[in-house]
Amino acid sequence: MASARYYFRRVFYYLRKGLDDPSLAFNYLFHGSVEATRFQVRRIARNSGVKAEEVVRYYQSPTLVDLTGTIVKAAGETPFVGVGPSAGFDIYTLLRILKPETVIETGVEAGVSSSFILRALADNNKGTLYSIDYRVQEGDRVENIKLGLIPVEAIPKDKETGFVIPDSLRSRWKFNPGKSSDILPGLLKELGKVNVFWHDS
């Protein structure tokens, strides 16, 4: 199990975050994580000069419903780690607002979040996603804030990394297999400028 010091450190981390951003903390405490995330998305939109009705239009995009169905079909009965549709809609909307040229993602696994990122880039008609992922082996363990050391879910051996990503979206995807600590420095140097960094590893 994780040490008491670890939990103590995390409690102060969240307290500090709450003091830094009371509006976000209020939304999280009284409305839950989904509404807190959407509060952040709306705030970014407002700061970017994007109208509220445009944000609603992004969230209600028919392409998201189609993409969700495609992901579920590709996953089949295979258990995999990924973001739920609600978080995927948030990712998509955020990238539709920001319209980035260059996105780096660390952590792919089945490719659920990657799919929503790529759908946004395709609908923006601009941008490339550079993904880095180290293939987790069955039996590997990671420290979890609530549960201590827990097994990591790995995608099945007969599936490739990013196996749920639709073929129609892969033209904007550059996959880099390996550890972020090994690949990221060189990739950052090569790209020079990065608009969005999606840390999911």
Side-chain angles (χ1 to χ4, degrees), residues 20-194:
D20 287 345
D21 198 341
S23 297
L24 179 60
F26 177 87
N27 272 272
Y28 183 82
L29 286 172
F30 293 98
H31 302 293
S33 61
V34 170
E35 180 53 36
T37 299
R38 298 208 167 161
F39 168 79
Q40 290 178 296
V41 171
R42 290 193 301 270
R43 184 164 57 185
I44 291 168
R46 188 170 59 250
N47 292 340
S48 304
V50 176
K51 294 181 179 178
E53 50 268 31
E54 190 170 358
V55 174
V56 171
R57 184 168 57 84
Y58 291 149
Y59 269 110
Q60 295 177 347
S61 172
T63 61
L64 290 177
V65 177
D66 294 341
L67 178 59
T68 302
T70 301
I71 290 171
V72 169
K73 186 177 179 181
E77 298 299 318
T78 307
F80 62 94
V81 177
V83 298
S86 176
F89 282 36
D90 295 330
I91 293 167
Y92 172 87
T93 300
L94 184 61
L95 294 188
R96 291 286 274 139
I97 291 167
L98 297 175
K99 295 180 169 46
E101 288 281 359
T102 305
V103 181
I104 290 181
E105 168 195 41
T106 58
V108 179
E109 290 189 344
V112 180
S113 56
S114 311
S115 298
F116 284 100
I117 293 170
L118 290 166
R119 181 71 267 172
L121 299 183
D123 290 349
N124 287 340
N125 198 29
K126 66 184 292 188
T128 303
L129 171 63
Y130 297 84
S131 298
I132 303 170
D133 193 54
Y134 173 70
R135 188 70 182 244
V136 177
Q137 303 300 314
E138 290 184 24
D140 283 357
R141 301 173 77 83
V142 68
E143 189 170 36
N144 178 281
I145 184 172
K146 294 179 181 176
L147 304 174
L149 285 176
I150 60 170
V152 177
E153 289 190 60
I155 59 175
K157 292 179 180 178
D158 63 331
K159 302 285 187 182
E160 63 177 5
T161 299
F163 70 92
V164 303
I165 299 173
D167 290 339
S168 60
L169 298 178
R170 290 180 177 241
S171 62
R172 295 183 179 275
W173 189 42
K174 307 293 182 187
F175 176 57
N176 301 271
K179 293 186 177 181
S180 300
S181 55
D182 296 332
I183 294 171
L184 192 54
L187 183 60
L188 290 170
K189 186 175 181 180
E190 175 191 333
L191 296 175
K193 183 179 180 181
V194 177

